Amino acid sequence: MSITTSPRAATGSSKSDQPSQHSALAWLTLPALFFFIVFAVIPLIGVLILSFANWDGIGAIGAAGMENWTSVLADPDLYNSLGLTFLIMIVSWLVQTPISLLLGVFTAGTQRYRAALAVLYFLPLLLSSAAVAIAYKALLDPNFGLAMGLGLPFLAQDWLGVPQLALGLIVFVIAWQFVPFHTLIYQGGVRQIPKSLYEAAQIDGAGTIKQFFHITLPQLKYTIITSSTLMVVGSLTYFDLIFVLTGGGPGNSTRILALDMYLRGFRANLMGPASVIAVILVVIGLALALFLQRLGGKDKQGSQLEGM
């Protein structure tokens, strides 16, 4: 006597196993959820509470109501810092994105020397921002830096004493340090593009430039959005580099929001107003991240190779 199993019975058993599999996967997310709550949600709630309190960082915490918010929102320095933050954000994105994209496409090649160059491009990312700022501060010193050592008069300028030069230097140093990271992102995106697309374009007579604009760029749509999100939101945290390089000067010409928050909280001992700025930074970061993700459309979670 032979025993046969109906397809319906087999299908039913597989469906019954699906809830258990989903529950097992849900349990695996608990450690990550725990750390997220402890190190992200709880501190954020604490900062939100402090924004409605008076505290000097040492003594007792007292209620302040809306006083911190009204004083900070009425302070012209806040809007100066906000404008500088967005200025550095936009200029940094305009500088880093094309450089990272071109370097990513270049290092995605198969030549051996490109792998060596990819390693060299990655080296600046291994250095801390504070160390990079100290190095550039010493190199560009008009009296003891490269200008005197190499005899280059055009480098003998007060790079950190002129507002325009200081802003330009900050953007340059940021790009020098973080372009390698975004280069790796684009390099991985380019290597996922099917070679058959380029082969078909070559058969049609398309050159390298046409292939770049009609194949590479469209296929890197979601990669560009991901890189831009990290770049834009990350620009809200350029505290250590600017603090060591310029300290917010000359005057307040490089005092971005993150640095303004630090100076209010740990220099002026005004933890309440500093917490207000911290909440503003979180809101701006979330809004920018959601906006950039919306640019990807409803299918942003899908593959960029769909329909090929």
Side-chain angles (χ1 to χ4, degrees):
M1 180 183 294
S2 62
I3 299 174
T4 60
T5 303
S6 64
R8 181 178 299 179
T11 305
S13 62
S14 62
K15 287 184 178 180
S16 63
D17 292 338
Q18 289 180 359
S20 61
Q21 293 176 357
H22 288 303
S23 61
L25 292 175
W27 280 104
L28 293 176
T29 63
L30 288 180
L33 181 62
F34 170 77
F35 283 105
F36 176 75
I37 293 175
V38 171
F39 294 104
V41 177
I42 293 178
L44 182 59
I45 294 174
V47 169
L48 183 61
I49 294 173
L50 277 179
S51 66
F52 297 97
N54 283 325
W55 189 39
D56 60 0
I58 300 176
I61 301 176
M66 295 297 296
E67 180 182 351
N68 292 330
W69 284 88
T70 54
S71 62
V72 170
L73 294 177
D75 190 352
D77 290 338
L78 172 70
Y79 300 99
N80 176 66
S81 300
L82 186 63
L84 288 172
T85 301
F86 278 103
L87 176 62
I88 292 177
M89 178 191 302
I90 294 171
V91 176
S92 297
W93 182 86
L94 292 174
V95 172
Q96 292 184 69
T97 299
I99 297 176
S100 303
L101 178 58
L102 293 175
L103 286 178
V105 173
F106 175 74
T107 56
T110 57
Q111 294 87 340
R112 292 183 179 180
Y113 71 89
R114 297 195 183 193
L117 289 178
V119 174
L120 293 177
Y121 293 154
F122 189 72
L123 288 179
L125 194 62
L126 301 178
L127 305 175
S128 69
S129 297
V132 171
I134 292 173
Y136 270 96
K137 196 171 184 178
L139 290 173
L140 296 177
D141 188 287
N143 298 316
F144 307 102
L146 288 176
M148 297 299 294
L150 300 179
L152 302 174
F154 69 93
L155 288 178
Q157 303 185 49
D158 191 5
W159 294 97
L160 303 178
V162 180
Q164 292 78 10
L165 292 178
L167 280 173
L169 178 61
I170 287 173
V171 172
F172 174 81
V173 175
I174 289 172
W176 182 85
Q177 184 177 15
F178 293 105
V179 158
F181 173 73
H182 298 281
T183 297
L184 290 179
I185 294 178
Y186 286 116
Q187 181 186 32
V190 171
R191 288 181 174 175
Q192 290 180 355
I193 301 175
K195 294 182 179 180
S196 58
L197 298 178
Y198 295 102
E199 293 172 355
Q202 290 177 355
I203 294 174
D204 292 337
T208 304
I209 296 178
K210 284 189 176 181
Q211 292 178 26
F212 176 79
F213 284 103
H214 294 281
I215 297 177
T216 306
L217 278 183
Q219 290 296 306
L220 291 178
K221 174 184 176 182
Y222 301 115
T223 306
I224 293 174
I225 292 176
T226 301
S227 173
S228 298
T229 302
L230 295 173
M231 198 179 298
V232 168
V233 177
S235 65
L236 298 174
T237 63
Y238 291 149
F239 159 75
D240 45 358
L241 189 147
I242 296 178
F243 177 71
V244 175
L245 197 59
T246 65
N252 290 330
S253 60
T254 59
R255 182 167 170 163
I256 61 172
L257 275 180
L259 182 57
D260 190 16
M261 176 186 66
Y262 170 82
L263 294 177
R264 290 175 189 260
F266 295 96
R267 288 283 180 87
N269 295 325
L270 299 173
M271 292 298 178
S275 299
V276 172
I277 297 178
V279 174
I280 293 174
L281 280 172
V282 171
V283 172
I284 293 175
L286 288 175
L288 289 172
L290 290 174
F291 170 74
L292 289 172
Q293 292 303 310
R294 284 291 183 91
L295 293 179
K298 295 182 179 179
D299 60 339
K300 59 181 177 296
Q301 298 299 332
S303 172
Q304 63 182 5
L305 305 178
E306 288 181 353
M308 294 299 164

